């Protein structure tokens, strides 16, 4: 029946074309199925309409006279760059290889590009609401494509009550994104942890934009408003061609579609594709979870300075939790932070003291990961000139380095090194020294989940575009692991998170649970978008959650040292700390505390107890909070409260920038839902309220693939107990949660 219907549909389309062509009537090109309908101008190939048939709603403003070009090329020839777009074509032709495919071709471009042909192929994905878009060029001999903008979807009209969800590392959500007039641009791979953006009204319909690149090619995604508050979505591609090539084909497809729901709906769609890709198959966590030192970590301590300021406090927390603790150790090195990289050795407290402290901590189940920036080299270091570092530095098109000043006190710059050079050998040697000679538990590779486009033709990579950065990062981590003489659970962790890095890193530092602390309360809100797609393929940890003012590196100029470094923050900011810990717990992250000291267990007793209890509860619920798949949490009525929020520089602020007080309306209860590998459902709950709260919700078992009858258990700090039984596919939960309490409600388990 399906084949018959398709044949009838194709015959109808063919007869329609013959009739309109014979009559001389102007017609549009239509590509449609039961879910979406795309309409193109038959004379130019411009996109006229993108219609969501399921919602009976149009994405584009059809009244607008502006029809943006679906694509734009930047071609270089003889040092000159020329921009070419759709209106410059002298000829346009379309064809239909089959009922689900439309091919658009432009040719006869004047000037320097008489042989150029641009071919766009758009394919429906069966009866789904998603379409694949592909572009190929021919006739480009002697011309280098510098950038290909494709696809470009112009005229996206306001859907009202809009939200824009973007996977900036952990994830960001913009409410009413058009009101600011902001031009939004994000780079992949890098700050974008995956290749999917969604713009939607959660009650009506949504615009879905993605890419199916599995090799980590560099690209940029953007949403730009015009004077009419219409958005233009586009993907900028940076191609790689060899001298003399006459053709170029994008090595992936863009995905454009419609959906109903919110950011989690879009994430679920992307996950359905993503988990079948190479990065999930080769995920370090999935392949090595059983023996992974990262996976068994219960709590991270992020301290800075000498061992008595780092390892001693970590051992204290190890004793309080009774669980494995890892340390993220900054400022252990000889050089000043954000200045003297990569002159890390010898440790600033001396070899003997450093090695002894590492050994003692190991004996007490505390592992230390030491800081090493992945690619920065200080331009004022002796080694920068002596070792000709400039030769291996990232260069722009003009041959300039990308030096940047991070250290506001010394004003000394750092310059990114290109991973596709001998820098890999230097870095691997330094990491090997820390692991093999000093027996650290691993390396924290700062700025790992970022990338640079380098145009230095003397390096071992294609210039500008391509996917060499992630490839060489993989080579670097392999070099470090091969040199590991101990072959014991050495951890390589990196800043940020990203699908391209899943095969190479053991853990990902995801700091956006503390976004208010370093960016304030304005702008985008943090959402666990990466977790919704990849939680069961990656170990995530980290936050800036701290109960004290920032520390100051002893190697920075003494004149700028504040008098109150690492002193307890005002009590009004304690709830912010609880909020950060509650978020991390329900989002399935390993908990982290920054700048912990033993005195806080007395001076901030309630807050440290909260952290310890969450860490202990999480460790009992690893099937959900480590190995589980992120699910949609049940709806609950959750009270809110306005709390004080501190925005403060983490460790480099001057006196006038130290602590800024803001206020934010926050929920008093944080929740999430997880499907364990065994098929049970766990609903994580954490309260930051100083009064007891009643947890009430109901679910339908069919929504979670659960048996229609069974039992409900709850686990809190007092242990696990039977809460109720359910039948007929309906589960109702009523549970009194203590003040600042946390629990896991389990459904469908014995």
């Amino acid at each position: 029946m399906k084949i018959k219907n398709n044949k009838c549909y194709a015959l109808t389309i063919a007869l329609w074309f013959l009739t309109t062509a014979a009559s001389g009537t102007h017609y549009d090109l239509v590509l449609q199925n039961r879910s979406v309908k795309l309409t193109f101008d038959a004379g130019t190939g411009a996109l006229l309409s993108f219609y969501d048939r399921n919602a009976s709603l149009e994405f584009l403003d059809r009244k607008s006279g502006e029809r943006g070009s679906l694509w734009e090329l930047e071609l270089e020839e003889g040092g000159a760059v020329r921009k070419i777009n759709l209106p410059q074509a002298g000829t346009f032709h379309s064809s239909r290889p089959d009922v689900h495919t439309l091919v658009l071709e432009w040719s006869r471009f004047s000037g320097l590009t008489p042989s150029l042909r641009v071919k766009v192929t758009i394919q429906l994905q069966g009866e789904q609401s998603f379409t694949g878009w592909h572009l190929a060029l021919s006739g480009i001999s002697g011309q280098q494509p510098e950038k290909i903008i494709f696809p470009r979807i112009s005229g996206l009209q306001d859907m009202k009550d809009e939200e824009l969800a973007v996977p900036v590392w952990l994830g960001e959500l913009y409410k009413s994104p058009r009101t600011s007039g902001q031009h939004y641009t994000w780079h992949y791979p890098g700050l974008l942890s995956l290749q999917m953006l969604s713009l939607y009204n959660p009650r009506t319909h949504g615009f879905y934009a993605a890419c199916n690149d599995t090799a980590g090619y560099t690209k940029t995604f953007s949403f730009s408003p015009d004077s009419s508050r219409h958005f233009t979505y586009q993907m900028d591609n940076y191609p790689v061609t060899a001298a003399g090539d006459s053709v170029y084909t994008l090595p992936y497809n863009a995905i454009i579609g419609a959906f109903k729901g919110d950011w989690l709906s879009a994430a679920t769609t992307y996950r359905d594709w993503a988990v079948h890709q190479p990065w999930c198959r080769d995920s370090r966590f999935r392949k090595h979870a059983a023996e992974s030192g990262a996976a068994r970590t219960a709590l991270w301590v992020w301290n800075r300075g000498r061992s008595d300021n780092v390892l001693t406090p970590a051992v204290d927390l190890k004793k309080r939790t009774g669980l494995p603790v890892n340390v993220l150790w900054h400022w252990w090195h000889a050089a000043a932070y954000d200045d003297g990289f990569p002159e890390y050795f010898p440790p600033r407290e001396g070899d003997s003291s450093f090695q002894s402290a590492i050994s003692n901590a190991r004996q007490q189940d505390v592992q230390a990961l030491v800081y090493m920036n992945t690619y920065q080299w200080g331009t004022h270091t002796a080694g920068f000139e002596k070792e000709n570092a400039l030769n291996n530095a990232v260069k722009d098109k003009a041959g300039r380095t990308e030096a940047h000043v991070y250290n506001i006190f010394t004003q000394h710059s750092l310059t990114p090194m290109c991973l596709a050079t001998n820098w890999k050998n230097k870095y691997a040697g330094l990491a090997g020294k820390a692991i093999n000679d000093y027996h650290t538990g691993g390396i924290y590779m700062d700025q790992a989940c970022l990338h640079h486009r380098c145009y230095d033709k003397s390096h071992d990579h294609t210039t500008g575009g391509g996917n060499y950065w992630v490839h060489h990062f993989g080579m670097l981590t392999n070099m470090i692991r091969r040199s590991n003489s101990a072959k014991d659970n050495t951890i390589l962790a990196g800043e940020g998170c990203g699908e391209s890095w899943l095969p190479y890193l053991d853990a990902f530092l995801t700091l956006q649970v503390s976004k208010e602390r370093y960016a304030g309360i304005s702008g985008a809100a943090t959402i666990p978008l990466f977790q919704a797609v990849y939680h069961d393929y990656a170990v995530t940890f980290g936050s800036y959650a701290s109960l004290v003012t920032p520390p100051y590196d002893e190697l920075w100029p003494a004149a700028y040292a504040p008098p109150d470094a690492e002193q307890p923050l005002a009590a009004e900011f304690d709830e912010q700390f609880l909020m950060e810990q509650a978020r991390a717990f329900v989002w399935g992250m390993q908990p982290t505390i920054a700048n912990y000291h033993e005195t806080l267990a007395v001076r901030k007793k309630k807050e440290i107890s909260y952290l310890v209890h969450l860490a202990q509860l999480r460790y009992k619920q690893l099937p959900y909070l480590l190995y589980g798949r992120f699910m949609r949490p049940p709806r609950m009525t959750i009270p809110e409260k306005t709390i004080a929020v501190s925005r403060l520089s983490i460790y480099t602020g001057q006196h006038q920038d130290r602590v800024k007080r803001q206020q934010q309306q926050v929920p008093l209860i944080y929740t999430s839902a997880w499907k364990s590998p065994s098929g049970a459902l766990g609903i994580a709950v954490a309260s930051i309220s100083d009064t007891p709260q009643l947890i009430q919700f109901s679910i339908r078992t069919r929504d979670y693939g659960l048996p229609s009858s069974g039992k409900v258990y709850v686990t809190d700090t007092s242990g696990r107990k039977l809460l109720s039984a359910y039948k007929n596919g309906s589960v109702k939960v009523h549970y009194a949660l203590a003040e600042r309490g946390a629990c896991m409600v389990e459904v469908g388990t014995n």
Side-chain angles (χ1 to χ4, degrees):
M1 179 61 72
K2 183 176 181 181
I3 294 175
K4 182 179 178 181
N5 285 343
N6 282 344
K7 286 183 177 179
C8 291
Y9 177 73
L11 180 60
T12 301
I13 291 294
L15 290 173
W16 181 80
F17 267 104
L18 289 173
T19 302
T20 54
S23 66
T25 303
H26 179 78
Y27 60 87
D28 293 329
L29 301 172
V30 176
L31 183 66
Q32 63 181 326
N33 58 17
R34 294 190 183 96
S35 299
V36 292
K37 177 182 178 182
L38 301 174
T39 305
F40 300 84
D41 188 293
T44 65
L47 179 63
L48 302 177
S49 169
F50 178 18
Y51 188 71
D52 181 350
R53 301 186 75 177
N54 292 323
S56 299
L57 290 169
E58 172 65 52
F59 283 105
L60 308 185
D61 181 2
R62 300 201 65 177
K63 297 179 182 179
S64 173
E66 296 184 6
R67 301 300 176 200
S69 178
L70 285 176
W71 50 266
E72 182 176 286
L73 312 180
E74 291 187 9
L75 299 179
E76 180 183 357
E77 184 175 29
V81 176
R82 185 183 184 195
K83 293 185 178 181
I84 301 171
N85 55 28
L86 183 153
Q88 295 171 269
T91 301
F92 169 69
H93 173 72
S94 65
S95 60
R96 292 178 178 272
D98 57 64
V99 71
H100 289 121
T101 307
L102 177 64
V103 178
L104 312 174
E105 295 185 78
W106 296 265
S107 57
R108 294 182 59 196
F109 295 89
S110 60
L112 300 176
T113 57
S115 61
L116 173 66
R117 296 181 70 89
V118 179
K119 178 180 178 180
V120 168
T121 303
I122 305 168
Q123 288 185 306
L124 298 167
Q125 298 182 3
E127 297 300 329
Q128 298 182 55
S129 58
F130 304 99
T131 57
W133 297 55
H134 186 261
L135 181 143
L137 305 178
S138 60
I140 59 171
S141 294
Q143 300 170 93
Q144 169 67 41
E146 286 289 308
K147 181 166 71 173
I148 298 174
I149 298 175
F150 175 79
R152 175 188 278 159
I153 311 295
S154 303
L156 289 165
Q157 56 187 343
D158 195 334
M159 290 178 269
K160 310 301 181 184
D161 298 322
E162 281 181 323
E163 297 179 353
L164 173 61
V166 186
V168 174
W169 279 349
L170 195 59
E172 292 186 347
L173 184 68
Y174 295 85
K175 297 288 186 74
S176 303
R178 301 176 198 249
T179 56
S180 67
Q182 181 179 347
H183 174 91
Y184 301 94
T185 300
W186 307 276
H187 301 289
Y188 176 91
L191 281 179
L192 284 191
S193 57
L194 50 97
Q195 303 165 87
M196 183 277 295
L197 301 88
S198 57
L199 176 69
Y200 57 87
N201 178 322
R203 295 185 304 278
T204 58
H205 65 316
F207 176 78
Y208 178 96
C211 181
N212 67 359
D213 170 24
T214 61
Y217 284 92
T218 178
K219 60 185 74 72
T220 301
F221 297 81
S222 65
F223 278 97
S224 305
D226 62 19
S227 58
S228 300
R229 288 169 54 96
H230 297 142
F231 264 146
T232 293
Y233 164 77
Q234 71 183 45
M235 183 169 68
D236 295 6
N237 310 272
Y238 300 89
V240 176
T241 59
D245 284 353
S246 63
V247 299
Y248 175 76
T249 299
L250 278 178
Y252 44 78
N253 289 345
I255 308 297
I256 302 295
F259 75 100
K260 175 77 178 291
D262 57 10
W263 65 266
L264 184 52
S265 308
T268 301
T269 295
Y270 187 82
R271 177 186 163 93
D272 289 342
W273 169 81
V275 295
H276 300 291
Q277 306 316 312
W279 47 63
C280 285
R281 179 196 65 210
D282 298 329
S283 156
R284 287 282 304 174
F285 172 54
R286 291 293 282 252
K287 293 178 74 171
H288 303 279
E291 67 272 18
S292 170
R296 67 183 294 270
T297 305
L299 178 66
W300 291 82
V301 175
W302 188 358
N303 280 21
R304 300 161 176 82
R306 298 171 183 260
S307 58
D308 59 353
N309 198 56
V310 178
L311 297 181
T312 301
V315 169
D316 176 78
L317 269 183
K318 163 51 174 83
K319 294 176 179 177
R320 294 181 188 278
T321 61
L323 298 170
V325 170
N326 278 351
V327 168
L328 194 60
W329 192 349
H330 283 46
W331 305 358
W332 63 275
H333 39 74
Y337 184 73
D338 275 349
D339 187 332
F341 305 155
E343 296 181 353
Y344 299 113
F345 298 102
R348 65 178 59 181
E349 67 184 79
D351 285 345
S352 179
S353 175
F354 185 80
Q355 289 174 317
S356 177
I358 291 282
S359 176
N360 291 337
R362 270 181 173 268
Q363 293 174 18
Q364 300 180 73
D365 208 10
V366 172
Q367 300 284 349
L369 274 66
V370 293
Y371 176 101
M372 286 188 180
N373 192 287
T374 303
Y375 50 72
Q376 300 284 6
W377 198 321
T379 57
H380 285 72
T381 61
F384 189 82
E385 183 174 351
K386 182 179 179 180
E387 299 182 47
N388 298 313
L390 196 61
N391 293 338
N392 293 332
V394 170
K395 311 293 196 315
D396 64 15
K397 291 182 181 179
R400 299 167 299 202
T401 64
E402 298 187 5
H404 180 80
V405 173
Y406 292 91
N407 193 312
I408 62 175
F409 306 114
T410 66
Q411 292 295 309
H412 291 169
S413 63
L414 300 174
T415 293
M417 296 291 107
C418 180
L419 292 187
T421 66
N422 288 333
W423 167 255
K424 286 196 302 295
N425 300 322
K426 181 174 181 63
Y427 189 95
L430 292 168
K433 186 177 181 68
I435 294 168
N436 297 321
D437 296 353
Y438 292 92
H439 309 295
T440 65
I443 309 296
Y444 167 64
M445 303 174 71
D446 194 26
Q447 296 188 307
C449 295
L450 293 170
H451 89 282
H452 291 263
R453 292 199 305 272
C454 179
Y455 292 84
D456 192 325
K457 295 181 180 179
S458 69
H459 295 176
D460 182 23
H461 62 72
T462 56
T463 56
N467 62 346
Y468 56 86
W469 192 271
V470 173
H471 173 68
H472 282 272
F473 184 91
M475 294 173 62
L476 171 60
T477 56
N478 288 338
M479 291 169 66
I480 296 171
R481 290 191 173 96
R482 284 198 302 268
S483 71
N484 181 4
S485 59
K487 304 299 180 187
D488 57 1
N489 299 322
T490 299
I491 300 170
L492 296 183
E495 180 188 15
C497 55
E499 60 193 10
S500 294
W501 284 270
L502 291 175
Y504 309 125
L505 291 172
D506 301 291
F508 297 87
L509 183 73
T510 44
L511 297 174
Q512 286 153 295
V513 291
S514 297
K515 187 172 184 288
E516 295 86 356
R517 196 176 290 265
Y518 62 83
I521 63 175
S522 61
T526 301
I527 54 174
L529 181 52
F530 183 79
Q531 303 296 74
V533 178
Y534 290 120
H535 174 264
D536 45 338
Y537 290 88
V539 174
T540 53
F541 74 103
S543 73
Y544 281 131
S546 177
L547 293 163
V548 301
T549 55
Y552 187 85
D553 189 350
E554 63 182 294
L555 299 183
W556 290 336
Y560 296 106
D564 61 344
E566 298 197 77
Q567 295 302 306
L569 285 165
E572 66 174 339
F573 299 125
D574 290 346
E575 287 175 304
Q576 180 183 10
F577 177 86
L578 301 179
M579 174 184 69
E580 293 166 317
Q581 298 299 342
R583 278 179 181 165
F585 172 75
V586 301
W587 288 352
M589 299 170 59
Q590 293 174 337
T592 302
I593 181 171
N595 311 315
Y596 173 74
H597 302 290
E598 300 95 312
T599 56
L600 292 175
V602 176
R603 302 180 71 173
K604 300 285 186 179
K605 183 178 179 180
K606 290 183 179 180
E607 290 67 42
I608 297 303
S609 295
Y610 189 75
L611 169 66
V612 169
H613 290 157
L614 285 184
Q616 292 172 333
L617 178 58
R618 175 192 169 274
Y619 219 66
K620 295 176 181 177
Q621 302 299 327
L622 296 185
Y624 304 105
L625 297 176
L626 179 62
Y627 300 103
R629 174 183 173 179
F630 192 98
M631 305 292 289
R632 184 177 296 278
R635 292 183 179 180
M636 301 184 197
T637 300
I638 295 176
E640 294 187 341
K641 179 183 180 181
T642 299
I643 67 170
V645 172
S646 63
R647 180 182 178 180
L648 68 164
S649 174
I650 305 308
Y651 40 69
T652 57
Q654 299 190 42
H655 298 300
Q656 66 270 24
D657 300 323
R658 299 285 288 174
V659 179
K660 294 181 179 178
R661 185 187 187 280
Q662 296 181 309
Q663 288 186 325
Q664 184 177 20
Q665 189 85 358
V666 301
L668 290 177
I669 298 172
Y670 293 81
T671 66
S672 63
W674 304 90
K675 196 74 173 290
S676 74
S678 68
L681 180 70
I683 294 97
V685 182
S687 169
I688 65 171
S689 173
D690 55 8
T691 61
Q693 296 291 325
L694 181 61
I695 307 302
Q696 298 185 86
F697 62 87
S698 61
I699 63 173
R700 296 177 301 182
T701 57
R702 67 173 181 267
D703 293 339
Y704 296 93
L706 299 170
S708 59
S709 61
K711 297 178 180 179
V712 179
Y713 291 86
V714 63
T715 302
D716 56 20
T717 54
S718 64
R720 187 172 188 255
K721 57 189 175 185
L722 178 65
L723 186 62
S724 64
Y726 68 91
K727 59 183 179 179
N728 300 325
S730 178
V731 180
K732 295 184 178 181
V733 170
H734 299 265
Y735 181 69
L737 191 66
E739 63 272 15
R740 295 185 175 184
C743 69
M744 180 70 76
V745 178
E746 298 178 81
V747 183
T749 185
N750 295 323

